[in-house]
Amino acid sequence: MTTQDTCCTIAPYFTVQDGQLDNFKSLCARFIEQTQKESDCLYYGFTFAGNTIHCREGYVNADALLIHVQAVGSIIEEALKISDITRLEVHGPEAELAKLREPLAGLNPEYFTLECGFRN
């Protein structure tokens, strides 16, 4: 079974330091403001469970995901002063994941390969 879907998602999970949740939420607003400018972002948002925050985000392909990572780099640096990334997943078809493995190597993500499916 094959898919023509090129969509890539990146799923960071942050654990925010005690007393820093409001500061992290302020950074979320800045992440969103920046990401809204990216035409190849399919969806983007933050979900919360106590001091664990997940950024739910999807892009039309690997190139769009890399553009996003570069665009929010300075905000990520600020976020990492008050939080840690405790899990990082990247999902997509292998042809797209191959484009991400080297540029994202320093983040040590876990890769999930899309093997079947569709996208409307």
Side-chain angles (χ1 to χ4, degrees):
M1 197 175 266
T2 62
T3 178
Q4 298 301 311
D5 186 358
T6 61
C7 178
C8 292
T9 64
I10 186 167
Y13 292 81
F14 298 88
T15 300
V16 177
Q17 297 169 5
D18 290 340
Q20 294 293 329
L21 191 57
D22 287 340
N23 291 332
F24 195 92
K25 286 182 178 181
S26 294
L27 292 174
C28 291
R30 291 177 49 207
F31 277 118
I32 290 167
E33 180 181 357
Q34 171 58 45
T35 305
Q36 284 178 321
K37 300 172 188 174
E38 299 169 24
S39 62
D40 288 335
C41 179
L42 299 170
Y43 59 86
Y44 192 83
F46 291 88
T47 58
F48 294 78
N51 70 334
T52 300
I53 291 88
H54 165 64
C55 186
R56 182 180 169 274
E57 50 189 303
Y59 302 89
V60 297
N61 56 31
D63 295 329
L65 189 152
L66 290 172
I67 288 168
H68 168 74
V69 169
Q70 184 175 26
V72 298
S74 64
I75 307 170
I76 291 171
E77 288 177 15
E78 287 183 60
L80 292 177
K81 291 177 183 174
I82 60 171
S83 68
D84 295 304
I85 296 177
T86 54
R87 181 170 176 85
L88 181 62
E89 301 173 3
V90 178
H91 299 251
E94 183 54 42
E96 295 300 308
L97 294 180
K99 299 174 189 176
L100 299 171
R101 292 184 194 280
E102 185 178 326
L104 299 181
L107 299 173
N108 197 31
E110 183 174 4
Y111 291 94
F112 292 82
T113 303
L114 175 67
E115 293 189 12
C116 55
F118 73 95
R119 186 174 139 227
N120 288 328

